[in-house]
């Protein structure tokens, strides 16, 4: 583990950072991004209510978010919905996030959104559609990774690829 803090364990650190940013340098985008990461940590810790509150703050702090932040906010909102058992609405948000990421050239977020969309469609019982979406995510991932020169980060994406492949296999089974 190398001393790295897990996402749920990061909640107090993120809350402290958010407080510091609020009082010392109230930059809307920085506050929104920190609130977003806090929301991800809260969700990873199992606190959907706190995650939703952090997402709301992220949206308030950046009323005109960058395309990247807008995609990340949609992904978090979709994950919250999925955790609440609302696979249909989650899938809709993930599909929108995938389109936004693709249009903005955010290739990694595009893959993430496709994977989440496929997972949500599987959770909704639409296995054929989920398989198609997850296969598209795999193809897109391969395009992204092959575009990264060896020795310049290509290996860093292998773990994400393995997780994506496991999701696709789960849908097949």
């Amino acid at each position: 583990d190398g001393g790295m803090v897990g996402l749920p364990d990061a909640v107090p650190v993120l809350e402290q950072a958010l407080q510091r940013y609020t009082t010392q340098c109230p930059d809307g985008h920085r506050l929104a991004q920190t609130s977003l990461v806090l929301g991800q940590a809260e969700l990873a810790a199992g606190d959907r209510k706190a995650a939703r509150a952090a997402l709301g703050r992220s949206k308030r702090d950046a009323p005109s978010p960058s395309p990247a932040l807008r995609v990340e906010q949609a992904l978090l909102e979709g994950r919250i919905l999925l955790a609440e058992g609302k696979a249909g609405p989650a899938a809709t948000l993930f599909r929108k996030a995938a389109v936004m990421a693709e249009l903005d050239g955010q290739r990694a977020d595009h893959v993430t959104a496709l994977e989440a969309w496929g997972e949500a469609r599987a959770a909704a019982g639409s296995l054929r559609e989920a398989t198609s979406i997850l296969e598209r995510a795999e193809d897109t991932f391969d395009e992204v990774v092959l575009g990264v020169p060896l020795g310049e980060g290509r290996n860093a994406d292998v773990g994400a690829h393995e997780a994506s492949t496991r999701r696709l296999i789960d849908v097949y089974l």
Side-chain angles (χ1 to χ4, degrees):
D1 142 57
M4 294 210 37
V5 174
L7 195 53
D9 299 325
V11 169
V13 175
L14 290 164
E15 288 173 338
Q16 186 178 40
L18 189 60
Q19 182 61 34
R20 184 172 296 136
Y21 290 149
T22 300
T23 58
Q24 295 177 7
C25 52
D27 172 79
H29 183 76
R30 181 176 292 186
L31 287 168
Q33 188 65 43
T34 304
S35 292
L36 179 73
V37 176
L38 176 60
Q40 293 166 344
E42 295 282 16
L43 186 60
D47 191 341
R48 295 187 306 255
K49 184 177 180 181
R52 190 169 290 288
L55 174 63
R57 177 167 184 167
S58 177
K59 289 180 177 183
R60 283 190 308 278
D61 286 340
S64 299
S66 68
L69 182 58
R70 190 172 28 251
V71 167
E72 290 294 327
Q73 289 170 336
L75 288 171
L76 177 57
E77 187 170 359
R79 287 184 184 111
I80 293 167
L81 289 169
L82 195 56
E84 294 172 341
K86 300 174 184 171
T92 299
L93 272 173
F94 292 141
R95 181 185 53 75
K96 288 178 182 178
V99 170
M100 285 188 294
E102 183 177 29
L103 290 174
D104 194 50
Q106 301 172 48
R107 296 177 62 146
D109 281 341
H110 184 221
V111 171
T112 300
L114 287 170
E115 290 170 346
W117 180 20
E119 184 179 337
R121 294 310 298 148
S126 300
L127 299 183
R128 183 172 287 141
E129 183 183 3
T131 300
S132 175
I133 295 165
L134 289 170
E135 287 172 346
R136 183 172 163 209
E138 286 281 312
D139 292 344
T140 304
F141 177 85
D142 289 344
E143 292 171 13
V144 170
V145 170
L146 292 176
V148 176
L150 286 174
E152 292 188 27
R154 184 184 293 190
N155 293 340
D157 291 323
V158 172
H161 183 62
E162 289 172 1
S164 172
T165 300
R166 276 193 293 279
R167 277 193 286 273
L168 184 56
I169 290 169
D170 287 345
V171 170
Y172 281 138
L173 298 177

